[in-house]
């Protein structure tokens, strides 16, 4: 948001009240006893950045050079107890002369999530909220708010999901969950949007989603037989455009002949409803019968036949290597036809390699609920990045043995660039593959990644395609002095344009510990970046940008 009006203030107030309601609810519930009290940790931060760009407008013909000043106050609030966790990261991004417009822009960026156990190990309440800025289309492969002609929309999400995990003695275990999610989009961020792109702003709609999940599975009383009953439903109501419903009923049973062989059966009913050009939704009854062979705990092969077929092979010969590959041929439900899912991960002594491929049917509103995530670098500075799941699959994030979020092997201090796509109010079939590699020796860390993603849509012809490769080298010259180099190349094809971009970032950062009554950590850095984007669209064209950034950060 640029110059804030009364509507902006009301919208921000509503989202802040939602976050404060969650804080107050969790705090009130936790105050009932000292053993349940949350251990709070509040960390304010402040960063200042001066950026010089020789092409603030990202234009080939109308270049405009200049400085952009950025001041970002922020805070992190973290609370934990044996029963609950709460994590909030907020940053107020203040920009002057972004895009060369000689104006002040204010952007709110938030990521909040919490989990509260109302009844120990039985009743849980999960909440999340985010505010972030997203590209309107793939015409510009740009992920920040500093340069360009705008072409961004502000995305806000909020969700709350209580769930119950009852146990019925030795006979059955249950899982029952209901959820509410709201997604809204606001383009009043003070940026100028080109007329061609402005037509896309109506393609992404505010929505409210209601989810329901129910699962009942066999308990320990069943030795040779296991069974399960499952129900899932998501109803997405949109302000404009057709509503979307994903719904499925399923039951399954498995009989263990011996330790190596078992047979199984699955049956259910799929009931989905969304708009498509060909009206090719395949609802109805589905079934699969088959068996599994597990000669050891390291290997297994499973095959199922019916109107929905699949073959799954697991190959885990050691603790360092695990892999799974599945081929499906479905006639009923989502993702009909042939599709693959695969994962491969191998850990060396000083290196790691991973591959993931998946296919899913989803909506952009669902994907955006995962975005707007904040990541902390080694100096504790907050930076907003893109899709959370991509951060895991590409090795930028990982979890430690306790389930805490930590930096992955491919994370470094430079800017993360992800593939953009058009913001469309549509159902998306998303196919994505990632290959990552990381290696660390002495004071140096190396990483490389490749990705390929295809998206087809229910109401649009053709498909969007994006693929690219990136690498990185980080050298810790001294304990608090780091050099890094990160090149990347990416190609994107969409309905509006096809673009190819490469960029190279080279930088150095140094942190300085200071004690002024309480520990402070100051970080200074300098980064040089070259960006070159070509386009086959006459409306957008390509551009070249050279950028120098000096930054200062302090964490209190």
């Amino acid at each position: 948001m640029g110059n804030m009006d009364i509507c902006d203030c009301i919208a921000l107030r509503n989202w802040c009240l939602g976050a404060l309601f969650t804080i107050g609810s969790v705090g009130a519930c936790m105050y009932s006893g000292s053993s349940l009290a949350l251990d709070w940790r509040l960390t304010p931060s402040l960063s200042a950045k001066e950026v010089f760009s020789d092409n603030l407008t990202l234009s080939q013909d109308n270049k405009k050079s200049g400085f952009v000043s950025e001041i970002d106050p922020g805070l992190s609030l973290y609370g934990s107890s044996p029963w609950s966790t709460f994590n909030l990261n907020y940053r107020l991004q203040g920009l002057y002369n972004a895009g060369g417009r000689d104006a002040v822009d204010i952007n709110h960026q938030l990521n909040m999530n919490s989990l509260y156990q109302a009844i120990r190990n039985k009743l849980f309440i999960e909440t999340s909220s985010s505010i972030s800025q997203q590209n309107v289309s793939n015409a510009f492969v740009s992920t920040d708010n500093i340069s360009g002609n705008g072409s961004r929309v502000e995305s806000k999400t909020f969700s709350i999901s209580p769930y119950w995990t009852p146990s019925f003695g030795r006979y059955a275990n249950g899982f029952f969950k209901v959820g509410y999610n709201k997604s809204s989009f606001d383009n009043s961020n003070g940026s100028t949007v080109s007329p061609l792109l402005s037509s896309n702003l109506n393609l992404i709609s505010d929505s409210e989603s209601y989810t329901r999940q129910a699962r009942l599975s066999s308990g320990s009383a069943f030795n040779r037989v296991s069974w399960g009953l499952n129900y899932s439903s998501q109803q997405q109501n949109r302000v404009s455009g057709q509503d979307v419903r994903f719904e499925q009923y399923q039951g399954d049973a498995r009989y263990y002949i011996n330790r190596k062989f078992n047979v199984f059966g699955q049956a259910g009913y799929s009931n989905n409803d969304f708009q498509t050009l060909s009206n090719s939704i395949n609802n109805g009854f589905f079934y699969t019968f088959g068996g599994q062979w597990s000669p050891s705990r390291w290997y297994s092969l499973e095959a199922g036949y019916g109107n929905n077929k699949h073959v799954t092979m697991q190959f885990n010969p050691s603790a360092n290597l695990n892999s799974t590959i599945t081929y499906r041929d479905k006639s009923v439900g989502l993702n009909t036809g042939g599709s693959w899912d695969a994962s491969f991960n191998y850990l060396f002594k000083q290196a790691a390699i991973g591959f993931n491929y998946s296919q899913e049917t989803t909506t952009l509103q669902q994907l955006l609920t995962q975005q707007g995530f904040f990541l902390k670098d080694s100096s504790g500075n907050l930076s907003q990045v893109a899709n959370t799941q991509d951060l895991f699959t590409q090795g930028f994030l990982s979890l430690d043995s306790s389930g805490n979020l930590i930096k992955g092997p491919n994370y470094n201090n430079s800017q993360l660039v992800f593939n953009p796509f058009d913001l469309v109010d549509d159902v998306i079939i998303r196919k994505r593959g990632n290959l990552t590699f990381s290696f660390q020796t002495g004071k140096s860390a190396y990483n490389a990644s490749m990705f390929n993603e295809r998206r087809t849509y229910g109401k649009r012809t053709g498909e969007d395609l994006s693929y690219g490769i990136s690498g990185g080298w980080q050298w810790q010259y001294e304990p608090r002095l780091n050099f890094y180099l990160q090149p990347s190349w990416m190609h994107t094809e969409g309905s509006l344009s096809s673009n190819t971009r490469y960029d190279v970032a080279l930088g150095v950062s140094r942190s300085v510990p200071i004690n002024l009554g309480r520990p402070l950590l100051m970080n200074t850095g300098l980064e040089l970046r070259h960006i070159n984007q070509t386009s086959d669209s006459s409306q957008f064209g390509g551009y070249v940008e050279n950028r120098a950034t000096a930054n200062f950060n302090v964490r209190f």
Side-chain angles (χ1 to χ4, degrees), residues 256 258-262 291-303 312-317:
Y256 294 86
N258 53 43
R259 292 184 177 181
K260 294 184 178 181
F261 295 96
N262 65 78
Q292 184 185 64
W293 175 51
S294 302
S296 74
R297 62 173 180 161
W298 307 112
Y299 315 96
S300 69
L301 179 64
E302 178 177 295
T312 299
M313 182 179 68
Q314 291 184 331
F315 180 70
N316 308 311

Side-chain angles (χ1 to χ4, degrees), residues 228-241:
L229 299 173
N230 298 274
Y231 170 76
S232 64
S233 172
Q234 181 182 49
Q235 177 71 35
Q236 187 176 100
N237 300 327
R238 299 174 174 176
V239 173
S240 62

Side-chain angles (χ1 to χ4, degrees), residues 363-416:
T363 65
L364 193 66
Q365 287 88 342
Q366 289 176 260
L367 293 177
L368 289 177
T369 59
Q370 307 173 23
Q371 296 192 354
F373 199 86
F374 282 93
L375 190 63
K376 291 183 179 180
D377 61 23
S378 59
S379 303
N381 306 312
L382 294 176
S383 59
Q384 185 184 10
V385 294
N387 186 281
T388 306
Q389 181 60 39
D390 292 341
L391 292 175
F392 283 97
T393 56
Q394 296 187 32
F396 293 110
L397 290 181
S398 62
L399 298 176
D400 62 17
S401 58
S402 302
N404 300 314
L405 193 67
I406 60 174
K407 292 183 295 183
N410 290 346
Y411 173 74
N412 56 47
N413 290 330
S414 58
Q415 180 183 358
L416 304 180

Side-chain angles (χ1 to χ4, degrees), residues 245-515:
R245 183 184 70 239
F246 299 140
E247 186 176 40
Q248 180 172 289
Y249 305 81
Q250 180 175 315
D252 56 77
R254 190 177 295 266
Y255 177 74
Y256 294 86
I257 301 173
N258 53 43
R259 292 184 177 181
K260 294 184 178 181
F261 295 96
N262 65 78
V263 293
F264 68 90
Q266 300 174 347
Y269 184 80
S270 180
N271 183 29
N272 305 304
D273 183 27
F274 52 89
Q275 189 175 7
T276 64
L277 289 176
S278 58
N279 196 26
S280 58
I281 300 176
N282 296 322
N283 289 328
F285 176 77
F286 62 87
Y287 64 93
T288 306
F289 298 98
Q292 184 185 64
W293 175 51
S294 302
S296 74
R297 62 173 180 161
W298 307 112
Y299 315 96
S300 69
L301 179 64
E302 178 177 295
Y305 181 82
N307 58 359
N308 285 353
K309 312 175 185 67
H310 74 266
V311 177
T312 299
M313 182 179 68
Q314 291 184 331
F315 180 70
N316 308 311
S318 70
N320 292 336
L321 172 61
N322 63 83
S323 62
T324 303
I325 184 169
T326 299
Y327 174 75
R328 294 182 176 88
D329 188 0
K330 299 172 61 177
S331 299
V332 178
L334 300 175
N335 302 314
T336 55
S339 65
W340 294 87
D341 288 284
S343 67
F344 176 89
N345 296 279
Y346 188 80
L347 296 176
F348 300 89
K349 185 176 181 180
Q350 296 176 289
I353 185 171
F355 172 77
N356 290 275
Y357 180 84
S358 62
Q359 176 175 325
E360 64 176 338
T361 298
T362 184
T363 65
L364 193 66
Q365 287 88 342
Q366 289 176 260
L367 293 177
L368 289 177
T369 59
Q370 307 173 23
Q371 296 192 354
F373 199 86
F374 282 93
L375 190 63
K376 291 183 179 180
D377 61 23
S378 59
S379 303
N381 306 312
L382 294 176
S383 59
Q384 185 184 10
V385 294
N387 186 281
T388 306
Q389 181 60 39
D390 292 341
L391 292 175
F392 283 97
T393 56
Q394 296 187 32
F396 293 110
L397 290 181
S398 62
L399 298 176
D400 62 17
S401 58
S402 302
N404 300 314
L405 193 67
I406 60 174
K407 292 183 295 183
N410 290 346
Y411 173 74
N412 56 47
N413 290 330
S414 58
Q415 180 183 358
L416 304 180
V417 178
F418 293 84
N419 56 306
F421 286 98
D422 294 346
L423 293 188
V424 292
D425 214 14
D426 209 341
V427 172
I428 303 168
I429 299 177
R430 182 177 188 243
K431 304 176 183 179
R432 183 176 180 91
N434 298 279
L435 176 64
T436 62
F437 174 78
S438 62
F439 177 72
Q440 187 158 358
T441 176
K443 296 183 178 182
S444 293
Y446 306 89
N447 66 80
S449 64
M450 300 174 61
F451 77 91
N452 181 290
E453 180 168 339
R454 292 178 180 269
R455 293 187 181 184
T456 56
Y457 304 89
K459 297 187 296 183
R460 293 172 52 185
T461 58
E463 66 177 10
D464 283 352
L465 169 66
S466 183
Y467 52 88
I469 183 171
S470 63
W473 169 51
Q474 182 169 314
W475 178 36
Q476 189 177 42
Y477 179 73
E478 293 180 355
R480 299 186 181 277
L481 180 63
N482 293 278
F483 295 89
Y484 59 88
L485 171 68
Q486 184 183 23
S488 66
W489 178 90
M490 178 167 50
H491 178 75
T492 302
E493 296 179 8
S495 58
L496 291 176
S497 66
S498 298
N499 299 287
T500 301
R501 162 173 164 160
Y502 74 85
D503 65 279
V504 180
L506 175 66
V508 57
S509 64
R510 181 178 181 85
S511 58
V512 181
I514 297 178
N515 194 336

Side-chain angles (χ1 to χ4, degrees), residues 46-49 377 379 381-382 521-525 551-555:
L46 177 66
S47 65
K49 183 183 297 183
D377 61 23
S379 303
N381 306 312
L382 294 176
L521 188 61
M522 299 173 59
N523 176 269
T524 58
N551 60 69
F552 166 80
N553 309 276
V554 59
R555 179 163 54 99

Side-chain angles (χ1 to χ4, degrees), residues 121-141:
N121 297 327
K122 295 294 183 181
L123 183 60
F124 303 80
I125 302 176
E126 189 176 43
T127 64
S128 66
S129 183
S130 70
I131 303 176
S132 61
Q133 291 76 48
Q134 305 293 335
N135 279 343
V136 172
S137 75
N138 61 10
F140 291 100
V141 190

